[in-house]
Amino acid sequence: MNLKKKRLAVARFWYEGNAFCPVPCTQQDFDRREWRAGADALVAARDTATELGAVERFARIRADWDVVALRCASALPGGPIEEAVFSRFYNEVMAGLAQGGPWDAVYLSLHGASITDARQTPELDLLEAVRRLLPGIPLGASFDLHANLPPGIGPLLDMASGYKTYPHIDMAQTAQRVLDGLVAIVEQGRRTRVSVTKPGAMLPSFNMRTAEGPMRELQALAAAQIGPGVVEALVFGGFPYSDTADTGSSVVIVSDLDADPAAKASSEAREHLEDAVRALAPRFAVRLPGAAEGLQQGLAVLAAKGGLVAVTDPGDNPLSGGACDTPGMLAALLQTGTNVPCLFASFADAEVVRTLSEAGQGGVRTVTLGGKLSADFGPPVQVAVRVERCTDGVFRNTGPMETGVETQCGRTVLISLAERPNIQLIVTSAVAPANDPGFFALHGIDLDASRLLCVKAKNHFRAAFLERCSAIIDTDIPGPSALDLNLLPFKHADRALAP
């Protein structure tokens, strides 16, 4: 007997927007990372630790479901997206939903902190449009832990979930929870309600790791709320640098309306989590050393223990919307006068890469690094350098976050300072995170060698490097995602909500 397959529409828009990043997000940024549809989107995601990796596996093992991938798009965090890019995505997805039906369910892989140069809440706009088009169809969405969720998202959804780890190593599991929830609604008739509330706290993300500290406590408390009447309970930390009216933490409860008493359980869970966020908010505020102090601490650990010692520059972290352009860390490193092996990762400067690639391996040139996109975070640094290695800038992640995902950095160079060859630097053509061992393998770097690693990174770096490093020292250096929010020109977010 042939049973008619159920049909699932899938679309993805994953982007974290930093309103203070001086570089807008363009179509080229999406093309470099992910702009796919149809079978291509699922094939590219196979065996990756991502949301679409979970969708591809679902499509493979659930022969009774027909999975249709509409436009799937993602780009590395950065400045506001050019409105034309989002409009193109929006129009393609809405046309696909309108013309490709009927559908039994829709799953959207979202971030929750996207912004364009014309919209503060593009994801809310998308969800509202989908719900208008398909008023009775089960709709589910997944979100990043740093989502800035407007309360209006809740009534639009039938199922929701979000990352519960930071570093984010549970992307695939998050998507699977949403898919399982949609299947239960379609096949078992489960009735649900999603609520989104704002506890009134804008939490810095520096101390938001889920292995320790206040966010670990919040995640444990959220997990404890799941039970009769509560399908899912989530705490989202938010992303302050998006600078929207909805910037800040949120609590999401997915209620099982068939449970008894669902309303009471959901209300109690929501109140517990909102109270906990407000109570723990002051603990998210931390003090970090400046560049000079952080480097001295790193050098001291290196002298005492050896191994790989990392000093991070979160203020220009590419996965927080940094542009790999701030010069503060390099300037401080040059002032140390150290002669130990040091590696700086990395600057993004296509012009410098082009100049040094033309010089070729062994070529010596004088270049200017950092401070080119904005004068707000310090002046450029001019140095004479020697070209050590040129690459095509393509590698696949081998670490636990986004395992198997291809990263395209554009052409890159590994260089050393002509007068201080113990200091090496990586320069990429496009902004790229240095969070995965594959990035360093691309440049022929032996991570087991004893050295000081100065890296533009934050908490995601720890997913692959916590066990590799003798120590990881975070610093606070001026940049578009710096710790001190008072240095940034907020226009929409209520900065008074920050601890």
Side-chain angles (χ1 to χ4, degrees):
M1 180 174 62
N2 291 325
L3 297 177
K4 185 178 179 181
K5 287 187 175 185
K6 298 176 180 64
R7 305 189 71 237
L8 172 69
V10 175
R12 169 170 164 82
F13 196 76
W14 190 95
Y15 185 77
E16 185 176 70
N18 185 321
F20 312 112
C21 176
V23 183
C25 179
T26 68
Q27 183 66 54
Q28 185 179 13
D29 295 308
F30 283 92
D31 292 341
R32 185 180 299 114
R33 180 175 169 89
E34 181 184 11
W35 188 268
R36 303 184 184 96
D40 288 346
L42 298 184
V43 169
R46 185 166 188 169
D47 297 327
T48 63
T50 63
E51 291 92 328
L52 285 187
V55 171
E56 190 278 335
R57 183 175 179 274
F58 177 89
R60 220 172 344 114
I61 67 176
R62 290 300 303 260
D64 54 331
W65 280 80
D66 180 22
V67 178
V68 179
L70 304 175
R71 178 58 62 192
C72 295
S74 69
L76 287 176
I81 305 164
E82 292 180 348
E83 175 63 19
V85 178
F86 178 74
S87 294
R88 179 184 175 191
F89 167 86
Y90 176 101
N91 291 334
E92 284 190 34
V93 170
M94 296 311 299
L97 290 173
Q99 300 166 13
W103 307 105
D104 292 283
V106 176
Y107 164 54
L108 300 179
S109 168
L110 304 174
H111 184 284
S114 295
I115 54 174
T116 78
D117 54 23
R119 305 174 193 245
Q120 290 191 36
T121 57
E123 290 141 317
L124 174 61
D125 297 345
L126 174 66
L127 286 166
E128 288 177 337
V130 173
R131 181 49 75 207
R132 285 194 299 269
L133 179 68
L134 304 172
I137 303 302
L139 174 60
S142 58
F143 300 96
D144 190 287
L145 178 69
H146 298 106
N148 295 317
L149 296 181
I153 278 181
L156 304 172
L157 294 171
D158 300 287
M159 182 61 197
S161 193
Y163 306 161
K164 300 182 180 183
T165 63
Y166 183 29
H168 305 325
I169 58 174
D170 65 334
M171 295 177 174
Q173 294 90 331
T174 298
Q176 190 61 56
R177 289 192 294 271
V178 179
L179 294 171
D180 290 343
L182 289 173
V183 168
I185 293 169
V186 173
E187 296 184 353
Q188 302 168 21
R190 171 182 276 175
R191 297 183 305 123
T192 58
R193 179 175 61 236
V194 178
S195 70
V196 177
T197 54
K198 308 293 285 187
M202 190 163 71
L203 306 177
S205 58
F206 287 73
N207 191 32
M208 202 178 280
R209 295 187 295 274
T210 53
E212 58 196 1
M215 185 53 80
R216 177 185 176 89
E217 295 179 35
L218 288 174
Q219 291 297 327
L221 182 60
Q225 306 309 309
I226 298 174
V230 179
V231 177
E232 183 68 292
L234 303 154
V235 175
F236 292 89
F239 186 64
Y241 309 103
S242 292
D243 188 21
T244 70
D246 294 296
T247 290
S249 63
S250 53
V251 169
V252 173
I253 303 294
V254 181
S255 306
D256 181 353
L257 297 182
D258 294 318
D260 184 29
K264 180 179 179 181
S266 299
S267 176
E268 290 179 349
R270 181 174 59 254
E271 290 175 3
H272 281 321
L273 293 180
E274 289 180 350
D275 289 345
V277 170
R278 288 188 286 265
L280 292 175
R283 289 177 49 194
F284 283 88
V286 294
R287 178 199 174 275
L288 297 175
E293 182 183 351
L295 287 169
Q296 290 301 328
Q297 290 180 17
L299 289 168
V301 174
L302 191 63
K305 296 183 178 180
L308 181 67
V309 176
V311 179
T312 71
D313 178 7
D316 198 23
N317 169 35
L319 293 187
S320 295
C324 289
D325 180 66
T326 61
M329 177 72 81
L330 178 58
L333 177 62
L334 296 180
Q335 291 175 2
T336 64
T338 182
N339 59 3
V340 304
C342 300
L343 175 65
F344 185 101
S346 56
F347 284 111
D349 192 322
E351 182 180 350
V352 166
V353 171
R354 184 164 48 250
T355 297
L356 297 178
S357 297
E358 291 172 355
Q361 186 171 350
V364 177
R365 296 287 188 275
T366 296
V367 296
T368 300
L369 297 171
K372 293 183 179 179
L373 299 176
S374 172
D376 294 340
F377 309 120
V381 176
Q382 189 175 72
V383 286
V385 302
R386 181 182 186 274
V387 180
E388 303 292 345
R389 186 184 184 100
C390 301
T391 87
D392 65 0
V394 180
F395 69 93
R396 286 193 178 274
N397 287 350
T398 60
M401 181 174 167
E402 293 191 313
T403 310
V405 171
E406 182 181 272
T407 297
Q408 298 182 19
C409 313
R411 294 164 64 194
T412 76
V413 292
L414 172 68
I415 56 180
S416 61
L417 300 189
E419 297 182 1
R420 297 176 65 181
N422 62 299
I423 299 179
Q424 294 184 316
L425 303 93
I426 295 172
V427 186
T428 64
S429 296
V431 175
N435 288 330
D436 192 273
F439 178 82
F440 297 95
L442 172 70
H443 297 94
I445 302 298
D446 178 10
L447 289 173
D448 293 327
S450 180
R451 64 163 58 83
L452 185 73
L453 172 60
C454 302
V455 58
K456 290 179 179 292
K458 195 163 60 177
N459 292 321
H460 287 315
F461 176 79
R462 294 171 182 258
F465 288 91
L466 183 61
E467 296 182 359
R468 286 179 176 267
C469 292
S470 300
I472 299 176
I473 299 164
D474 299 319
T475 64
D476 186 23
I477 304 173
S481 57
L483 173 61
D484 188 352
L485 299 180
N486 291 315
L487 300 177
L488 299 172
F490 283 87
K491 295 180 180 178
H492 306 290
D494 184 357
R495 191 163 43 188
L497 297 178

